[in-house]
Amino acid sequence: MMSDPGVSFAALLSALGTVTLWSAVLLRAPSALRSPNQRGLWLAAAAAAAAMTLHWPVLHARLPLFDAYLYHLDLARNLIGVVSAAAVLHFVTMATASGRLKKSLYVLTAGALTALVLLDATAPAHGLHLVVDRGTATPSVPYWLVLTGTHLLANGVCVAMCQRYGARADDPQLRAALWLFGLGTAVAGLYWAGQLVRLLTDAPWVTPLLAPAMGVHGLLRAAALLVPALCAVRRAGTDIATIWRLSPLWRELIDVVPEVALSRPRPRVLDVLWPLAPWRLVAYRKVIETRDAILILQGYADLDTADPDTADTARARAAAARVPAARRQAHVLACLLRAARVAGRAGPHRASPPQQPTGPGPRDLADERRFLLDVAEAYRAPGTSRFAVPAPRGTAGQGRAEREPTMLPGRDGARK
């Protein structure tokens, strides 16, 4: 007989949520255990992962190995779930709650755990802990009222606090983590609300909706734990892309002005796979050294992109005439850099000292990085590589010191 697709999907989603949550818990364990501020959240996620593991159908299969432990597994799962709910409350109230409120939280948690153990122990002989139908549950209705009430209270407070502080957070990472954690807690709250509805009313339609809820809850809480790691991966990807895309232009320029490079050039593959410093620092050096090389190369040729009367600029503008307007300045500068590179390699001296940029510079490092990456891409374009360079002039750039040109973008994106 074929298995029920709904049950199969719910079981798969539950397994996926449990495995993902355990992965996030293990990945974040080193930093969480070192930071008291993260310990409560990590404990809540670890307890939730343990409770979800004990809920796996394979542990409830009627196999001889587990027959003697089904009762204990169900009780342990529910007790760990209460601990997880208490850890959630501890996390969301840690920065705002008074000492008296925290003590009350510990007392209520201990009371809920004690009540569940006593209600289970005093109930008639029973097997699995289930809500069977309206007014019918094992081990007893009071047991399930205490269990669902504890979860609904904890989840409601957690969702409210996550929404409140998530809206106020200035840090995008913290805001995203709080929203994801609150959303996962809300899904868990819907699960327990559904259990309460089944216990108090005749609502068979609720059962299919409850099956995938805990799996979704596990995925969302795992995502909340992994927000810092995902942001770090994104930053690393940006730094690696910067190193890879900017290295060819950087190498071409330091070939003429090697004094700007802090260390000897290495193949960009090694800079990515075996960097001598963190990727962020390597990318930062590439950007700064490329910019310094451009400033120095202004002394080798007519590189004033803001002055259309210079011969080099006029020819560069003509070469970049068909380039989209948004990328045109980068192409003009790429052409001028080819002229400056030829002049620099051929000339025995620098015709004038390096010029400093006039006017406001790029808004920030990210703005400068984006422009230099555009220049690096334009530098490799076929039209730029075929840019005709006249014979170097030995006096190129003389008499230009008073103009103080710059090839880098100003705050408004125009060349100054």
Side-chain angles (χ1 to χ4, degrees):
M1 184 175 66
M2 294 182 63
S3 60
D4 183 358
V7 174
S8 299
F9 171 74
L12 178 62
L13 189 59
S14 176
L16 179 62
T18 304
V19 171
T20 305
L21 187 54
W22 270 123
S23 301
V25 166
L26 295 176
L27 182 64
R28 297 293 296 164
S31 59
L33 294 177
R34 288 194 302 267
S35 173
N37 294 332
Q38 299 181 30
R39 238 171 258 164
L41 174 61
W42 182 85
L43 176 61
M52 291 175 66
T53 302
L54 295 177
H55 192 64
W56 274 12
V58 67
L59 296 180
H60 290 266
R62 293 288 183 176
L63 297 177
L65 179 62
F66 295 110
D67 274 346
Y69 302 100
L70 291 177
Y71 161 80
H72 302 287
L73 287 176
D74 272 357
L75 180 60
R77 181 190 69 201
N78 291 330
L79 294 179
I80 292 174
V82 171
V83 172
S84 174
V88 167
L89 278 182
H90 175 76
F91 166 69
V92 298
T93 60
M94 183 169 50
T96 57
S98 63
R100 179 176 297 179
L101 184 59
K102 291 180 180 178
K103 291 180 180 178
S104 300
L105 172 61
Y106 301 147
V107 171
L108 289 174
T109 302
L113 293 173
T114 303
L116 290 176
V117 172
L118 291 177
L119 288 171
D120 185 81
T122 57
H126 58 275
L128 298 178
H129 291 201
L130 297 172
V131 175
V132 180
D133 203 347
R134 176 182 179 180
T136 306
T138 55
S140 66
V141 172
Y143 175 95
W144 278 93
L145 288 175
V146 172
L147 182 61
T148 56
T150 302
H151 280 283
L152 288 175
L153 175 63
N155 291 337
V157 173
C158 178
V159 170
M161 297 293 284
C162 286
Q163 183 179 11
R164 178 181 178 183
Y165 289 103
R168 296 180 179 180
D170 295 328
D171 185 359
Q173 290 188 35
L174 178 60
R175 185 164 56 248
L178 287 174
W179 279 105
L180 286 170
F181 193 83
L183 185 58
T185 304
V187 173
L190 291 176
Y191 172 85
W192 290 108
Q195 293 284 26
L196 185 61
V197 169
R198 290 184 60 216
L199 182 65
L200 301 179
T201 66
D202 292 321
W205 53 270
V206 174
T207 303
L209 300 179
L210 298 181
M214 295 310 289
V216 175
H217 146 266
L219 291 174
L220 289 171
R221 284 198 171 174
L225 278 181
L226 292 175
V227 163
L230 294 176
C231 291
V233 170
R234 181 182 177 184
R235 286 194 300 267
T238 300
D239 295 334
I240 291 173
T242 299
I243 296 168
W244 188 263
R245 294 172 57 192
L246 196 57
S247 286
L249 174 62
W250 171 82
R251 182 177 289 274
E252 291 267 316
L253 299 184
I254 66 168
D255 185 48
V256 182
V257 283
E259 62 269 24
V260 303
L262 184 62
S263 59
R264 296 178 59 184
R266 305 171 73 229
R268 59 177 173 173
V269 174
L270 290 182
D271 280 339
V272 169
L273 298 181
W274 193 7
L276 299 180
W279 286 316
R280 194 169 187 82
L281 179 58
V282 176
Y284 175 79
R285 282 175 46 193
K286 296 285 186 187
V287 170
I288 298 303
E289 291 173 2
T290 300
R291 182 181 187 274
D292 290 345
I294 291 175
L295 294 176
I296 293 176
L297 284 173
Q298 288 183 103
Y300 286 101
D302 292 329
L303 301 182
D304 190 354
T305 62
D307 186 356
D309 296 330
T310 64
D312 286 339
T313 301
R315 292 170 50 252
R317 288 179 181 273
R322 296 184 179 182
V323 176
R327 311 287 294 271
R328 193 167 299 158
Q329 290 291 351
H331 278 257
V332 171
L333 178 54
C335 291
L336 295 177
L337 285 176
R338 286 197 174 273
R341 185 172 181 275
V342 171
R345 290 174 64 87
H349 308 291
R350 193 175 297 120
S352 63
Q355 307 295 332
Q356 293 298 323
T358 59
R363 288 182 292 269
D364 50 30
L365 182 64
D367 184 41
E368 188 167 38
R369 178 185 61 83
R370 283 190 292 269
F371 176 70
L372 291 179
L373 288 177
D374 288 342
V375 174
E377 182 179 350
Y379 192 87
R380 299 190 303 270
T384 306
S385 61
R386 293 193 299 267
F387 181 64
V389 181
R393 298 183 298 274
T395 59
Q398 289 180 351
R400 298 170 57 221
E402 68 278 5
R403 294 193 306 183
E404 293 191 347
T406 177
M407 299 182 293
L408 296 176
R411 185 177 298 276
D412 58 357
R415 305 284 81 75
K416 299 297 182 182

